[in-house]
């Protein structure tokens, strides 16, 4: 694995030393999780709106 040199990481008041490759991997995974969470929240919002519209159209 490349990028084995240690780097200092400061995040939300936490400090530590980790290899650069591992820091990049953790950042990529965390970014993917954030994007998936935002996408899931948007899908839930759209489904809720669609349900409300369906109920409104069924009442008339």
């Amino acid at each position: 694995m490349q990028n084995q040199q240690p780097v200092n990481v400061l995040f939300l008041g936490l400090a530590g030393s980790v290899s650069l490759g591992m820091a990049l991997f953790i950042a990529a995974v965390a970014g993917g999780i954030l994007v998936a969470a935002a996408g899931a929240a948007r899908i839930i919002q759209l489904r809720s709106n669609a349900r409300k519209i369906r109920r409104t159209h069924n009442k008339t």
Side-chain angles (χ1 to χ4, degrees), residues 3 5-27 30:
N3 298 323
Q5 57 271 26
V7 294
N8 291 324
V9 178
L10 300 170
F11 183 71
L12 297 176
L14 300 173
S17 180
V18 67
S19 70
L20 179 59
M22 187 57 67
L24 292 171
F25 176 74
I26 292 169

Side-chain angles (χ1 to χ4, degrees), residues 12-60:
L12 297 176
L14 300 173
S17 180
V18 67
S19 70
L20 179 59
M22 187 57 67
L24 292 171
F25 176 74
I26 292 169
V29 170
I33 291 170
L34 287 174
V35 168
R42 180 64 178 151
I43 289 171
I44 290 168
Q45 183 184 38
L46 290 171
R47 286 183 182 177
S48 174
N49 288 342
R51 227 178 271 124
K52 287 178 188 176
I53 291 171
R54 244 184 275 127
R55 283 187 206 143
T56 304
H57 285 285
N58 288 340
K59 288 182 180 179
T60 59

